[in-house]
Amino acid sequence: MSAQQVELVLARLYVDEAARAQFLVDPLAYAREAGLDEDEVRQLADIDRIGLLMASNSFAVKRLGYGGDRPDRLGIGGWRARWVRFCSAWRVCLRRAGPR
Amino acid sequence: MTSDRVGLSWRWAMAAATLSDLVAIDTLEIVAEQCRHATRREVRALRALARERPVHIHSLSLGLASSLPVMRRRIDRLARLIDLIEPVGWSEHLAFVRAGDIEIGHLAPTPRTVATLEGSATNIALATRIIGAKPAMENIATLVDAPMSTLSEPEWTHRVLAAVDCPLLLDLHNLYANANNFGHDPQIMLDAMPLERVTVVHLSGGRRIEEPGQCGRSRVLDDHKHAVPDDVFALLASVAARVPEGLTVIIERDGEYPPFAHLLDEMARARTALRQGRAARLAAA
């Protein structure tokens, strides 16, 4: 299996809770079903399982809301800024259109 | 004579305090993803800030350290931001963030193999060509030991950076966390990293979180929400003793913001650590 496929398998384990549960029950079967060769099957089965769980939890928290320190990333502040820009653009359009 | 600089990560929540005490701050680092929804006024403000102080742009979402090709439109978006703000440099991470249509959500440890080495070099070279400047590549903190690896972190880091001739952004708390989490000595791990390539250093803090189902065992989570540990300042002095060129040191804080005076204190401690390291280097010469 290519390195790219290995990264795909790992990414799925990090984000897909069901896939991760299936892997933890029978890592060898999961890895073989994912198409890994026998060497990779053994390597994946040796994964740091505690770390896998901890990292997956951490990634899930990040996916929920990485917006840095802008809690209203697309909340009121963001929508207000968009509304102000829309109004400004509308006024420009009206001025260009001229008086009726 | 080295020209070390000590500064802070730019955070909107600390904007007023940062600007009030700008005289005490040599440099600032802006996270590219925090500018994604910035208004034109905010971007203009950052551009003006870049004229007051040297500014670095720090990107999180390219996922360059991967055997999978980087998304071209993400590099283009970053390039547009860099063109607007005109920083003195930019940086990214030795991590992958996505695979196919799966977005991991943050920086995941790349399997350290020859294949990912080659893929990373290709991605970094492409980003360099589009943006017009080499990135400083940062070592990441991870709660899971990079799976299916055949190379150690220092060895893989050496080889990736040598392949693209890029500088290293050495995050000392990340190194400290990984050393603690995976049973290594932080100083030995530091000595094995390509210190000759270090141009920028990150300092931050974290906390210990319990391992699930493992009573009494814990790992260091690099959450950027706590004070920089004493051990990390000691590692900074060690870096300063080994690296002859000037260093840019950035204190990172992403939440649980303390009174700004605490961050100024951390910057002062960083300056002290740099001086101690430089003095040790001169004494050894």
Side-chain angles (χ1 to χ4, degrees), chain B:
Chain B
M1 186 73 172
T2 58
S3 52
D4 296 325
R5 289 176 179 153
V6 178
L8 283 179
S9 47
W10 170 264
R11 297 291 182 264
W12 294 104
M14 298 193 297
T18 302
L19 294 172
S20 298
D21 282 301
L22 202 57
V23 66
I25 303 168
D26 299 330
T27 184
L28 289 156
E29 182 182 84
I30 298 169
V31 171
E33 285 69 19
Q34 290 181 0
C35 299
R36 194 173 297 170
H37 302 289
T39 63
R40 258 182 264 169
R41 180 184 285 183
E42 286 164 344
V43 173
R44 280 201 302 271
L46 292 176
R47 190 179 158 89
L49 188 63
R51 294 196 182 110
E52 291 290 325
R53 286 290 181 275
V55 152
H56 296 254
I57 299 277
H58 191 51
S59 170
L60 296 168
S61 61
L62 294 187
L64 295 175
S66 172
S67 54
L68 289 155
V70 59
M71 288 173 78
R72 177 67 189 253
R73 62 181 171 83
R74 291 191 183 188
I75 303 179
D76 290 341
R77 184 167 58 201
L78 178 62
R80 283 195 295 274
L81 179 69
I82 287 173
D83 281 345
L84 278 172
I85 295 185
E86 295 180 355
V88 297
W90 72 283
S91 52
E92 246 290 355
H93 297 80
L94 291 166
F96 76 115
V97 300
R98 53 174 257 284
D101 59 356
I102 302 172
E103 286 291 334
I104 296 170
H106 202 53
L107 309 164
T110 308
R112 296 186 296 261
T113 63
V114 171
T116 59
L117 227 158
E118 291 167 354
S120 304
T122 302
N123 287 333
I124 295 170
L126 177 63
T128 300
R129 196 162 64 247
I130 293 171
I131 290 173
K134 291 178 185 176
M137 297 301 295
E138 180 180 349
N139 58 307
I140 67 163
T142 173
L143 290 168
V144 58
D145 206 357
M148 305 174 77
S149 296
T150 55
L151 301 168
S152 69
E153 183 178 359
E155 188 179 357
W156 186 78
T157 305
H158 260 284
R159 291 175 66 170
V160 169
L161 298 183
V164 289
D165 193 24
C166 275
L168 174 63
L169 190 168
L170 182 61
D171 190 305
L172 288 174
H173 190 261
N174 290 352
L175 182 143
Y176 170 80
N178 290 352
N180 272 270
N181 291 344
F182 308 122
H184 304 295
D185 181 288
Q187 186 61 60
I188 293 174
M189 203 159 154
L190 177 70
D191 290 341
M193 293 294 267
L195 295 180
E196 70 281 3
R197 292 189 176 274
V198 176
T199 54
V200 183
V201 175
H202 276 178
L203 304 179
S204 61
R207 64 185 174 97
R208 298 204 77 97
I209 54 173
E210 278 192 17
E211 293 184 357
Q214 307 288 310
C215 190
R217 293 183 54 158
S218 60
R219 298 193 187 191
V220 177
L221 173 68
D222 175 56
D223 65 4
H224 294 186
K225 292 180 180 178
H226 297 80
V228 179
D230 294 344
D231 287 346
V232 172
F233 283 116
L235 290 173
L236 177 60
S238 194
V239 172
R242 287 159 175 74
V243 175
E245 287 78 25
L247 293 169
T248 296
V249 179
I250 301 286
I251 310 280
E252 293 183 294
R253 192 73 183 227
D254 283 343
E256 308 283 345
Y257 296 109
F260 200 69
H262 288 200
L263 297 174
L264 294 176
D265 277 345
E266 287 191 332
M267 288 172 55
R269 286 193 69 184
R271 290 191 176 96
T272 301
L274 287 166
R275 275 197 300 273
Q276 286 169 348
R278 299 307 188 192
R281 183 177 168 77
L282 280 175

